[in-house]
Amino acid sequence: MQKIDPILEFVEITPTARIVPDEHGWRSKCLQRLIRLDLPVPKTVALPAATVRAIASGHVVNARAMLEVFGDGPLVSVRPSPANPDWGGPATILNIGLNDARHAQLALTHGEAAADALYVRFVQSYAIHVARLDPDAFEEIKPGPGALAEVLRLYRNETDDPFPQDPAQQLSEVLRSMARAWEGTSARLLRQVKGAPPEAGLGLVVQAMAQGIGQGISGSGVIQFVDPVTGLPQVTGRYLGQSQGRDALKTEAALYLTCDKRGPSLEEVAPELFAELLRFGAVCRQRLREEMQIEFTIEDGRLAVLDAVKVQRSVRAGLHIAVALARDGVIPPQEAVLRVEPRALSELLHHQVDPRGPRDVIARGIAASPGAASGKLVFTSDAAQASAARGEACILVRRETAPEDIRGMHSSAAVLTERGGMTSHAAVIARGLGLPCVVGASDMRLDMRERKLTASDGRVFHEGDVITLDGSKGQALAGVADMLPPALDDSFRQLLAWADAFRDIGIRANADTPSDAATARRFEAQGIGLCRTEHMFFEEERLVVMREMIFANSPEERAAALARLLPMQRDDFVQLFDIMQGLPVCIRLFDPPLHEFLPHDRDGLRGLAEALDRPLSEVTRRADALREVNPMLGMRGVRLGVVLPEIYNMQAQAIFEATIESAQRGAPIVPEVMIPLVSAKREVEMVKARIDAVAAMVRTHAKVDFDYKLGVMVETPRAALRAGEIAQHAGFLSFGTNDLTQMTYGLSRDDAGRFMNSYVQLGVFPEDPFHILDVDGVGELLLMGAERGRATRKDLTLSICGEHGGNPESIDFCRRAGFDYVSCSPYRVPMARLAAAHLALRDQASSR
Ligand code: PEP
Ligand code: MG
């Protein structure tokens, strides 16, 4: 017999007892709060982690003294209480203290059958969890006549001892087995996955059993007051008469809580008890500042609250609950904002498969772009376009996508590919378009010729069959799944409105097209931080004119082609300005090398020769002459603007004419014109002189005045270093961190993918610098450029517009560097707004 260690402490939970979450665990603390709220919690004792650790290493707690806290002949339960509920813990054990004598008493008060059932259940769980006997043999024994004798006989057979009759010995053994289970390797690994530190301890809670069986109304159940998927008010849960623990959740026979067509409910059977539960829920919400799920029992009409845990919730529900608590004055709006994780927002911007509905999975892959859509299967981009023309939603399935699939992707509701990863073509384009996308679904087989998809279980789906693609989970499902609409509801807007009030850095969107701009507006971006104009020239009718311009033999010919592009370009800007309604729009002048607009194969060149009415040989020769060995470092950006000034002249004219036209209809517009790829002050001087001249010409011609800003995109290291002198001619500097990263590292944006994984795996780079801003190197250039620019011009506007713009880490960096705004893709705007608010609120809290 081991010696009892008198120094092992435990404490009865009373309103004033010293209960510390880090020592006694979350459950003990929560129970103390419930006790302080005067809820009917049965008597409870808490064991701190130090005691439990000592028990695990062989010390013995004074279980008899502990049982004395509960009075005469108690039955108790033991539950785990780690510091964080997510870390789990060993299974709860109920009815400790039950022995032959107590069974006989119970048989008199509650009837033989009920007493037998409780005793059988206790012996079973003791045998399995404490004596560690074969679960199968014990679980086979079902309650009923003879079950008790059988379970006691089996216990004796397996252990060579009778079932222990001393309640103190039972409790001591239960505590020992739970303490040891927590120290086991698999339990340790499991909780570490959930974020527990290696030294995380376990508190335990010993509680008087509230029986849930009796002559009057008796039973047990759980109740919560919000829907776990939507977060909207809704009483859910179950109640089962003559039951214990979470039995009510395991059986069809359970009662509903509120009146329900499907069967009898607690509300009808015991309206006063139901009303009391509602009151408990309201008290918990108000005082614990959380939506709680309450575990309760009713013994002969008396309610007891055994436990309360935070309601499990989806992101959508979490957002709704936080906003509702703040609106009701339970928590301040700051706390509501901090309760929602910025990165989690992206799943709310799209349709989602309802997690409560059935899922018939036919393929699995990488969740490359969030959201879900249903539609008819199509296997080619042409079929996708035809389907869109018929007004039918379709899901485009390809082995992988290529640039020529972009129109097909535009026409589809979602995209599924057999190959590819997070940065494959399909994934990148789909994220930009906000389309759900699953890539690398290699467990399906595609037959592109027969146009059929064979699922891993052998089922075959043909073109026209309907499937659902879940880009958030990386799954394709058969048929039409139940959907939840995007959660851009009132709560979503309210949370972001609060976030906007707390944040101290602007958020704009990168938007090239009217549809991007509309998305930017929907997500309440404060303007467009980067409009890349080159995309506007890729449309079919414009491409032809563009090519005529490229092949022009003289400035006059070039000007004539550009004159045809002018109205189209003006129209683009009018649309953008109209949509943005006076919010700032920053337009970047033409950036890419010209050869990107030329056909790449012989057929294309022949077509071009026909369109231009020139010999094929001449067109081929001119195209070859335009090719560059290293185009990203060649004739692009401002260099084109200097050497072929007509292009920028046309664009400036289009911007200013659109400004006048759009301003006549709505809010005054001050367009921001941005020069890309600058490396020298002189480039800016030259372009600025010409743009000022175009502005003067447009003003004179239209007899209307307007204002505009001219700025520089800092994307070469030299521009960052010389920002001081460049700022003499620029009202704003916007850091293009894509090119700046490329040029700082000397790392090709287009080819780095080949070795980036190895580089990150080998720890050469901590992260891919094209995804996470390199604050040490590229960041130093940003700081230098910002400081030198502001030294020249105090009111210089500073921003960042590369892909990094939406990352919370980059926003943090830009805030600290005193930038005015970040600009990111429209679908990242909500996350950026929330992340910026988190940063500001955390700063405020730490400076208090
Ligand atoms: C950049 O270089 O960071 C940028 C935003 O421009 P682009 O990606 O168009 O080169
Ligand atoms: Mg760039």
Side-chain angles (χ1 to χ4, degrees), residues 196-455:
E199 70 286 356
L202 174 73
L204 288 172
V205 159
V206 182
Q207 190 175 60
M209 288 292 300
Q211 270 309 349
I213 54 165
Q215 309 295 351
I217 294 180
S218 300
S220 63
V222 292
I223 185 167
Q224 67 183 46
F225 309 91
V226 288
D227 182 291
V229 173
T230 62
L232 294 171
Q234 161 122 44
V235 178
T236 52
R238 298 292 276 265
Y239 168 78
L240 184 64
Q242 307 296 335
S243 79
Q244 292 187 321
R246 297 194 151 229
D247 288 352
L249 298 180
K250 298 180 200 145
T251 164
E252 292 285 303
L255 291 191
Y256 295 97
L257 291 175
T258 50
C259 300
D260 197 302
K261 284 199 293 291
R262 293 167 293 177
S265 70
L266 185 66
E267 189 175 11
E268 292 153 306
V269 176
E272 7 22 86
L273 293 175
F274 179 74
E276 193 67 351
L277 281 171
L278 293 189
R279 188 180 70 76
F280 292 168
V283 170
C284 281
R285 180 176 192 268
Q286 184 71 34
R287 302 282 294 280
L288 303 183
R289 301 151 30 94
E290 232 338 329
E291 286 293 350
M292 304 296 281
Q293 185 190 63
I294 295 176
E295 192 173 324
F296 64 94
T297 60
I298 302 173
E299 187 173 357
D300 283 333
R302 278 190 321 277
L303 254 179
V305 171
L306 306 188
D307 208 353
V309 292
K310 247 176 86 174
V311 167
Q312 293 280 337
R313 63 198 68 183
S314 66
V315 175
R316 178 183 298 249
L319 186 149
H320 203 282
I321 290 168
V323 170
L325 286 171
R327 278 186 168 151
D328 294 345
V330 179
I331 58 173
Q334 287 88 331
E335 192 172 332
V337 165
L338 287 170
R339 282 190 187 189
V340 180
E341 172 51 38
R343 289 193 201 273
L345 278 191
S346 77
E347 79 174 64
L348 304 183
L349 310 181
H350 310 274
H351 277 87
Q352 268 182 288
V353 174
D354 190 332
R356 296 164 296 192
R359 296 180 83 87
D360 182 2
V361 180
I362 58 171
R364 288 189 169 78
I366 297 168
S369 177
S374 302
K376 291 187 175 172
L377 275 177
V378 292
F379 291 84
T380 63
S381 286
D382 285 348
Q385 288 175 58
S387 177
R390 291 192 301 273
E392 287 174 5
C394 66
I395 311 285
L396 177 62
V397 185
R398 306 283 295 156
R399 282 202 201 289
E400 57 198 337
T401 61
E404 49 273 22
D405 289 313
I406 288 191
R407 292 163 85 87
M409 292 178 76
H410 263 288
S411 308
S412 307
V415 179
L416 169 64
T417 67
E418 185 186 24
R419 300 184 190 141
M422 277 308 271
T423 53
S424 63
H425 179 267
V428 172
I429 301 292
R431 282 198 293 273
L433 295 174
L435 281 184
C437 177
V438 176
V439 297
S442 51
D443 64 343
M444 63 176 185
R445 267 180 298 122
L446 291 186
D447 184 336
M448 299 309 278
R449 227 163 19 144
E450 295 285 315
R451 299 192 173 191
K452 63 181 193 188
L453 176 165
T454 308

Side-chain angles (χ1 to χ4, degrees), residues 462-702:
H462 295 95
E463 189 149 279
D465 289 348
V466 174
I467 68 162
T468 297
L469 199 79
D470 184 344
S472 304
K473 288 257 178 331
Q475 293 177 345
L477 314 173
V480 178
D482 299 340
M483 293 282 188
L484 294 170
L488 307 177
D489 54 11
D490 182 44
S491 297
F492 181 90
R493 280 196 299 275
Q494 174 64 79
L495 187 89
L496 288 177
W498 284 328
D500 288 348
F502 303 135
R503 71 183 157 86
D504 48 18
I505 186 165
I507 310 288
R508 293 198 197 176
N510 294 351
D512 306 342
T513 62
S515 110
D516 289 347
T519 311
R521 285 283 293 167
R522 194 149 46 95
F523 295 149
E524 296 178 55
Q526 289 164 287
I528 294 179
L530 172 65
C531 169
R532 295 174 165 103
T533 49
E534 53 273 10
H535 296 280
M536 297 168 171
F537 299 103
F538 278 110
E539 279 173 30
E540 227 160 279
E541 54 168 334
R542 300 180 184 200
L543 196 52
V544 178
V545 189
M546 190 66 190
R547 287 171 176 167
E548 282 180 34
M549 191 274 293
I550 294 170
F551 280 79
N553 284 316
S554 64
E556 293 72 31
E557 264 186 46
R558 194 173 309 120
L562 285 165
R564 287 170 60 205
L565 286 171
L566 174 71
M568 306 180 199
Q569 179 91 108
R570 185 172 52 225
D571 214 45
D572 296 329
F573 298 137
V574 168
Q575 286 190 48
L576 282 185
F577 293 152
D578 281 356
I579 293 169
M580 297 310 289
Q581 294 184 333
L583 291 174
V585 177
C586 179
I587 297 164
R588 177 179 78 183
L589 299 174
F590 196 85
D591 182 49
L594 287 182
H595 78 85
E596 283 193 11
F597 294 86
L598 299 179
H600 296 288
D601 56 19
R602 214 171 154 71
D603 277 355
L605 284 166
R606 188 172 302 117
L608 178 57
E610 276 163 18
L612 296 173
D613 197 18
R614 303 258 179 86
L616 176 61
S617 57
E618 183 195 328
V619 170
T620 310
R621 186 170 34 78
R622 295 281 297 277
D624 284 345
L626 277 170
R627 285 196 212 294
E628 295 173 295
V629 175
N630 200 343
M632 290 310 275
L633 301 181
M635 251 290 261
R636 56 171 284 219
V638 70
R639 299 160 199 170
L640 269 175
V642 168
V643 177
L644 300 174
E646 298 85 356
I647 304 177
Y648 280 10
N649 290 354
M650 180 280 285
Q651 288 197 294
Q653 187 178 343
I655 292 168
F656 298 141
E657 289 177 357
T659 302
I660 295 173
E661 187 178 330
S662 197
Q664 278 163 354
R665 278 200 289 275
I669 291 149
V670 181
E672 299 173 6
V673 180
M674 182 155 74
I675 314 172
L677 216 78
V678 165
S679 59
K681 168 183 149 185
R682 184 74 191 124
E683 291 169 326
V684 186
E685 277 170 355
M686 289 172 71
V687 173
K688 181 174 186 313
R690 259 189 277 104
I691 291 178
D692 284 344
V694 172
M697 189 261 301
V698 174
R699 282 191 189 109
T700 314
H701 199 255

Side-chain angles (χ1 to χ4, degrees), residues 31-337:
L31 285 169
Q32 185 178 46
R33 292 196 179 115
L34 300 178
I35 290 167
R36 284 180 182 157
L37 298 180
D38 262 345
L39 298 195
V41 177
K43 200 176 268 261
T44 308
V45 161
L47 281 71
T51 297
V52 177
R53 195 164 284 131
I55 295 173
S57 58
H59 294 266
V60 179
V61 70
N62 190 345
R64 207 168 302 282
M66 199 183 298
L67 283 175
E68 274 163 19
V69 174
F70 296 92
D72 195 21
L75 294 186
V76 296
S77 65
V78 182
R79 291 167 206 262
S81 178
N84 182 323
D86 293 340
W87 301 346
T92 294
I93 298 194
L94 305 176
N95 298 315
I96 300 154
L98 199 43
N99 52 18
D100 294 350
R102 196 78 174 82
H103 168 257
Q105 276 173 2
L106 275 174
L108 290 179
T109 52
H110 291 73
E112 191 84 33
D116 277 9
L118 288 185
Y119 200 6
V120 168
R121 185 175 179 158
F122 175 49
V123 178
Q124 282 173 323
S125 79
Y126 192 95
I128 295 167
H129 298 293
V130 182
R132 309 270 163 206
L133 303 178
D134 175 16
D136 292 346
F138 281 89
E139 273 161 5
E140 257 169 29
I141 301 171
K142 299 290 169 232
L148 180 57
E150 195 185 340
V151 82
L152 288 170
R153 186 182 46 74
L154 184 62
Y155 187 91
R156 180 192 281 273
N157 281 353
E158 295 287 317
T159 59
D160 289 338
D161 280 320
F163 187 71
Q165 294 294 305
D166 176 9
Q169 185 197 344
Q170 291 175 358
L171 176 59
S172 178
E173 288 298 317
V174 167
L175 295 174
R176 190 185 55 82
S177 82
M178 289 173 88
R180 300 280 299 266
W182 179 257
E183 302 293 341
T185 310
S186 53
R188 204 179 271 271
L189 289 176
L190 220 61
R191 63 180 178 264
Q192 281 179 13
V193 169
K194 293 178 184 154
E199 70 286 356
L202 174 73
L204 288 172
V205 159
V206 182
Q207 190 175 60
M209 288 292 300
Q211 270 309 349
I213 54 165
Q215 309 295 351
I217 294 180
S218 300
S220 63
V222 292
I223 185 167
Q224 67 183 46
F225 309 91
V226 288
D227 182 291
V229 173
T230 62
L232 294 171
Q234 161 122 44
V235 178
T236 52
R238 298 292 276 265
Y239 168 78
L240 184 64
Q242 307 296 335
S243 79
Q244 292 187 321
R246 297 194 151 229
D247 288 352
L249 298 180
K250 298 180 200 145
T251 164
E252 292 285 303
L255 291 191
Y256 295 97
L257 291 175
T258 50
C259 300
D260 197 302
K261 284 199 293 291
R262 293 167 293 177
S265 70
L266 185 66
E267 189 175 11
E268 292 153 306
V269 176
E272 7 22 86
L273 293 175
F274 179 74
E276 193 67 351
L277 281 171
L278 293 189
R279 188 180 70 76
F280 292 168
V283 170
C284 281
R285 180 176 192 268
Q286 184 71 34
R287 302 282 294 280
L288 303 183
R289 301 151 30 94
E290 232 338 329
E291 286 293 350
M292 304 296 281
Q293 185 190 63
I294 295 176
E295 192 173 324
F296 64 94
T297 60
I298 302 173
E299 187 173 357
D300 283 333
R302 278 190 321 277
L303 254 179
V305 171
L306 306 188
D307 208 353
V309 292
K310 247 176 86 174
V311 167
Q312 293 280 337
R313 63 198 68 183
S314 66
V315 175
R316 178 183 298 249
L319 186 149
H320 203 282
I321 290 168
V323 170
L325 286 171
R327 278 186 168 151
D328 294 345
V330 179
I331 58 173
Q334 287 88 331
E335 192 172 332
V337 165

Side-chain angles (χ1 to χ4, degrees), residues 530 532 588 591 636 713 715 736-739 749 801-802:
L530 172 65
R532 295 174 165 103
R588 177 179 78 183
D591 182 49
R636 56 171 284 219
M713 198 158 170
E715 43 188 350
T737 47
N738 302 334
D739 271 309
R749 278 163 78 169
C801 62

